[in-house]
Amino acid sequence: MKKFFQSKGFIVSSLALLCVTILSVCWFVSRDRTRDFRPDESPPSSVTGDWSDGGTQTDSDNGADAYAPGQSTDAEEEYPKVTSQTEDEVVIDFTDTEKPEETPPPVPEGKTEIKDPGQEHTVNPDPSVPEVTAPPAEQTPPSNEPAPGSSNGNGAVYDPVFGWVVPGDVQQSNGDSDGDLNKQVGNMG
């Protein structure tokens, strides 16, 4: 019996049966359902009848044609709206071009409004607001630090961050290469 389960014929037929089972389960899960989708009925307490856009709903076989939008009862246009439509292209306008009229803010109590002040009108400053003046310029005491980049005669150069720095000798060597990137340049040891 042990040889029967380890034989090539049993293993091949078991794998074939497994593949057929997997394919039939996939077909069953992905098959086209012919029943129409019906949503669950909502409880009557959550149904409200105060919203209406003027559209009509018809009972037809095709669900896409079941709703026909009506005209808005408001005088305002709703956005976005289709501005032009061709076979290949649809242009939609998302912004309202009409701006609401801006009303100027009301004049504060005790103030008068001048319609056209003209060129000679001077602005009277509010006496309750103190006048802003520029603060006096601070005088910095002269520093006894040398100017950046100056030398002290001993070969040291002054740097404002590091102070006096003694430059070292330049360490430079010429590479002997014809430009081939695969050749080693210099000593790697």
Side-chain angles (χ1 to χ4, degrees):
M1 191 67 141
K2 188 175 185 182
K3 285 188 175 190
F4 175 72
F5 290 121
Q6 293 180 349
S7 67
K8 288 183 182 179
F10 178 75
I11 293 174
V12 169
S13 60
S14 298
L15 290 176
L17 182 63
L18 181 64
C19 288
V20 169
T21 306
I22 290 173
L23 288 174
S24 63
V25 168
C26 290
W27 173 80
F28 180 75
V29 170
S30 67
R31 67 188 166 111
D32 188 24
R33 300 204 183 349
T34 57
R35 292 180 284 146
D36 290 338
F37 173 74
R38 302 273 185 216
D40 293 338
E41 294 292 326
S42 61
S45 62
S46 66
V47 176
T48 58
D50 60 344
W51 181 82
S52 175
D53 69 342
T56 60
Q57 195 145 15
T58 60
D59 292 330
S60 67
D61 293 338
N62 188 356
D65 296 331
Y67 178 77
Q71 296 296 325
S72 175
T73 57
D74 296 339
E76 300 175 4
E77 274 187 282
E78 295 182 18
Y79 284 87
K81 69 176 184 176
V82 177
T83 56
S84 68
Q85 183 174 3
T86 62
E87 229 175 81
D88 299 335
E89 181 178 55
V90 175
V91 178
I92 298 176
D93 185 17
F94 288 99
T95 57
D96 187 6
T97 56
E98 295 179 13
K99 303 283 186 221
E101 291 182 18
E102 294 183 18
T103 58
V107 179
E109 282 187 33
K111 302 287 182 179
T112 58
E113 182 179 4
I114 300 174
K115 296 292 182 190
D116 185 19
Q119 293 290 337
E120 291 90 32
H121 178 72
T122 58
V123 177
N124 295 330
D126 190 1
S128 63
V129 177
E131 187 174 330
V132 178
T133 58
E138 294 182 19
Q139 295 181 355
T140 57
S143 66
N144 38 354
E145 291 183 1
S150 62
S151 65
N152 65 354
N154 295 337
V157 178
Y158 181 75
D159 185 274
V161 176
F162 298 108
W164 290 102
V165 179
V166 179
D169 293 333
V170 175
Q171 297 177 358
Q172 177 179 352
S173 63
N174 294 331
D176 186 24
S177 173
D178 60 354
D180 188 6
L181 297 176
N182 294 326
K183 289 185 177 177
Q184 177 179 351
V185 178
N187 186 4
M188 299 298 236

